[in-house]
Amino acid sequence: MSNTLALLAPIFILYVILLVTALVDLIRHWNSRQNPVVWLVIILFVSTIGSIIYFIFGRKDYR
């Protein structure tokens, strides 16, 4: 059991970091996103894939 926990803990930590980073970026650029509510649902309910999809397709370079 402890071996399994030791293997899954880093993966879970990376998942949480990815999720929080995607949410923070979405909130910072809420007004400039197209369909921010849709992106919020994708990030929260599509699990790890949702955050990755957001960073690939939903995030734009705002300068």
Side-chain angles (χ1 to χ4, degrees), residues 21-41:
T21 305
L23 289 173
V24 167
D25 185 72
L26 178 65
I27 291 168
R28 282 186 180 169
H29 302 289
W30 187 267
N31 294 328
S32 58
R33 295 276 184 254
Q34 293 180 357
N35 305 320
V37 175
V38 173
W39 283 115
L40 180 65
V41 170

